[in-house]
Amino acid sequence: YIVPTVHMLIPNIRNDFTRDKNFRNGLLRGINRELILEKMICGGNDIDGCDVISGPFPRGTLENDQLAYGYNTRVRPEPFNQKLGMVLVQTVQQTMIDALVAKGDKNPVVERPTLVLCHTRDDIPKIACAAIQRMWGELGIKVELRELEPGQTVPPDDDWDFLCYEMSMQEPLTDVDKLFGEEGLVKELSAPVLQSMRRLGYADSWQVAGLTLRRMHRQIRNDVTILPLWQLKEHYAFRDNLREVGRNAVHLYQNVDGWKITPRQKKAEKK
């Protein structure tokens, strides 16, 4: 397909740890995204359009660079750094302990929560989340994997901390509302991001829209609003007797009204 899917971890802000952007940043630094993408997902192959990303928008492909108008290329993906991830996680925990001491608690105890990481039953989310579970475990974080029911892409309840989510952004300017804001999956946004969302509503040109989206990209990365993972170039297959499929398909069953099936020739039976 001409439009890649964007993969990310969406946080559910339900405790003081996931609320802290330094904690989320520590978790992001503790994921070796390059390893998961290149070795586990792409099987060691260098595939155009499959890249680690730094934000929620697609960076496009060689076939469709126009899609990347919302991607801020100046915001580089944070490199894997397990030691820094461990330090950030430990610092957040120690800050909470210090706050309790300042309130008069002589022997405060702050335990790290067991994080619930949700994913669909598809192979790639399964592989990715199993790897993330191991990597976060090396940071000292316990992770429980939760597999969603067939057909579910979002948990129906609040019993989760991170959701492994994939999205096909055919048009970032309009699809951004499906991800952020009152109608989106991520509702808790910082003031700068909310301001950018409002500006998008008044954008009167593609230049202004692109500039606003790129600014939003940087703000989301600074806030660690989501944990960006990678974009994937998706593929489809069809039988050789199917005609009029078209080129540069964006989604499944595109041009289905014009599809034509040519009957296969039956092989002559041997006597």
Side-chain angles (χ1 to χ4, degrees):
Y1 296 104
I2 194 171
V3 178
T5 55
V6 180
H7 296 239
M8 66 197 78
L9 296 182
I10 296 178
N12 180 22
I13 309 301
R14 63 173 184 168
N15 59 59
D16 291 337
F17 278 89
T18 54
R19 185 177 299 279
D20 195 302
K21 70 176 183 180
N22 289 322
F23 180 76
R24 299 194 300 270
N25 193 26
L27 295 180
L28 179 61
R29 293 299 192 109
I31 304 174
N32 194 336
R33 294 176 288 172
E34 291 83 1
L35 176 66
I36 298 175
L37 177 62
E38 295 174 7
K39 302 299 183 183
M40 301 180 184
I41 296 177
C42 294
N45 301 308
D46 184 11
I47 303 175
D48 171 52
C50 296
D51 302 288
V52 172
I53 55 177
S54 61
F57 307 120
R59 59 178 299 175
T61 65
L62 293 177
E63 297 178 359
N64 189 5
D65 287 336
Q66 295 179 351
L67 184 69
Y69 67 88
Y71 190 89
N72 192 334
T73 56
R74 295 184 178 182
V75 181
R76 301 294 181 86
E78 297 291 353
F80 169 62
N81 191 327
Q82 187 183 77
K83 290 184 178 179
L84 179 56
M86 294 176 66
V87 169
L88 288 170
V89 169
Q90 178 61 41
T91 300
V92 171
Q93 185 179 22
Q94 187 60 49
T95 300
M96 293 179 182
I97 293 174
D98 293 342
L100 293 175
V101 171
K103 292 180 180 180
D105 193 335
K106 295 182 179 180
N107 297 301
V109 176
V110 176
E111 296 183 357
R112 299 176 185 179
T114 298
L115 300 180
V116 178
L117 176 56
C118 283
H119 62 84
T120 62
R121 297 192 172 191
D122 298 327
D123 290 339
I124 289 179
K126 279 185 179 181
I127 294 170
C129 288
I132 292 172
Q133 181 187 40
R134 292 192 298 270
M135 292 173 184
W136 282 357
E138 294 176 358
L139 300 180
I141 302 293
K142 294 180 180 180
V143 179
E144 176 185 329
L145 297 182
R146 175 184 172 187
E147 190 173 278
L148 297 176
E149 295 297 324
Q152 291 182 343
T153 56
V154 178
D157 52 44
D158 195 49
D159 186 21
W160 59 280
D161 296 288
F162 286 92
L163 169 65
C164 187
Y165 188 74
E166 64 179 85
M167 181 177 184
S168 176
M169 282 198 174
Q170 300 179 28
E171 185 55 71
L173 177 59
T174 54
D175 290 343
V176 66
D177 289 333
K178 300 175 184 177
L179 188 57
F180 301 106
E182 294 181 1
E183 303 298 325
L185 291 174
V186 185
K187 296 179 172 57
E188 294 201 25
L189 303 172
S190 66
V193 175
L194 288 172
Q195 186 178 24
S196 293
M197 292 284 291
R198 288 192 291 269
R199 285 180 179 175
L200 283 176
Y202 296 101
D204 56 2
S205 68
W206 286 108
Q207 183 178 5
V208 173
L211 181 63
T212 304
L213 284 171
R214 292 191 294 273
R215 183 183 294 116
M216 186 176 173
H217 178 159
R218 180 176 293 278
Q219 292 162 343
I220 287 171
R221 173 62 196 98
N222 292 340
D223 297 335
V224 202
T225 307
I226 62 166
L227 277 62
L229 297 175
W230 42 72
Q231 73 169 25
L232 294 182
K233 185 71 173 292
E234 304 290 348
H235 297 79
Y236 61 97
F238 57 93
R239 293 179 180 273
D240 57 6
N241 64 328
L242 180 63
R243 299 289 184 265
E244 307 299 334
V245 177
R247 301 182 61 186
N248 296 331
V250 175
H251 56 78
L252 187 65
Y253 298 125
Q254 184 172 326
N255 306 321
V256 66
D257 292 338
W259 287 3
K260 296 179 181 179
I261 297 178
T262 303
R264 292 180 181 273
Q265 295 279 339
K266 289 186 178 181
K267 294 182 180 180
E269 296 182 1
K270 293 183 180 181
K271 294 184 179 179

